Amino acid sequence: MALRMWASSTANALKISCASKPYLSLSRCFSTVLDGLKYAESHEWVKHEGSVATIGITDHAQDHLGEVVFVELPEPGGSVSKGKGFGAVESVKATSDVNSPISGEIVEVNSKLSEAPGLINSSPYEEGWMIKVKPSSSSELESLMGSKEYTKFCEEEDASH
């Protein structure tokens, strides 16, 4: 446990992920949680920049899903509501709904995911983003977890399974 915590904090400081760095030789891979993002209990992340918030699923979520083979996304111009589904991710293990951690208007959808759904596995926080939203409420962003809270949440959740 101490080694995993050290490895996780080191990876966070270096902003690396086992999924995106296959040359790392760690005996046990760990999920990357980035500072500066907000996280939902349903394992989605939000990066708020200016008037737009980018949303995707976390490294923890993609790790539990396994190889992503299909992604269903909404059309731009629609809206999302906090806690409600906006799409789905199908993996070799299961199909999971993706919930929006915030409410707002969808301004862009990552069209690359229809041709390359594996971007969610290889780059969940960068190339694997899902939608961009113009948030309707800043208080919803503030209610989400920071990186430390989310890391603790994941550790507790994994320990209970």
Side-chain angles (χ1 to χ4, degrees):
M1 178 68 134
L3 178 59
R4 181 183 165 119
M5 289 176 57
W6 171 83
S8 181
S9 64
T10 302
N12 286 341
L14 297 173
K15 298 201 183 317
I16 61 171
S17 165
C18 288
S20 64
K21 311 288 189 233
Y23 53 85
L24 290 177
S25 59
L26 298 174
S27 60
R28 181 173 178 180
C29 195
F30 48 88
S31 297
T32 300
V33 177
L34 300 180
D35 289 335
L37 302 182
K38 294 290 196 169
Y39 299 89
E41 289 184 1
S42 52
H43 302 288
E44 293 85 19
W45 58 266
V46 180
K47 181 178 185 180
H48 189 226
E49 297 177 299
S51 64
V52 175
T54 304
I55 298 171
I57 66 169
T58 65
D59 187 42
H60 184 82
Q62 72 78 24
D63 185 50
H64 282 272
L65 280 170
E67 180 185 352
V68 175
V69 295
F70 179 76
V71 180
E72 179 186 331
L73 295 173
E75 294 294 321
S79 63
V80 291
S81 298
K82 181 178 180 171
K84 304 291 183 190
F86 69 79
V89 175
E90 183 179 330
S91 73
V92 294
K93 293 181 182 179
T95 298
S96 296
D97 290 332
V98 182
N99 297 320
S100 183
I102 58 172
S103 301
E105 177 189 347
I106 302 167
V107 295
E108 189 177 348
V109 173
N110 189 349
S111 58
K112 289 181 185 177
L113 296 179
S114 61
E115 295 296 319
L119 290 172
I120 288 178
N121 297 115
S122 63
S123 184
Y125 298 116
E126 293 169 9
E127 293 184 51
W129 63 272
M130 299 180 84
I131 61 173
K132 293 189 179 189
V133 173
K134 182 178 179 183
S136 57
S137 170
S138 61
S139 64
E140 288 180 347
L141 285 164
E142 294 164 10
S143 71
L144 298 171
M145 292 179 276
S147 59
K148 289 180 182 171
E149 293 89 358
Y150 182 68
T151 299
K152 183 178 181 186
F153 173 80
C154 290
E155 289 171 352
E156 290 172 354
E157 186 179 67
D158 286 350
S160 69
H161 291 298

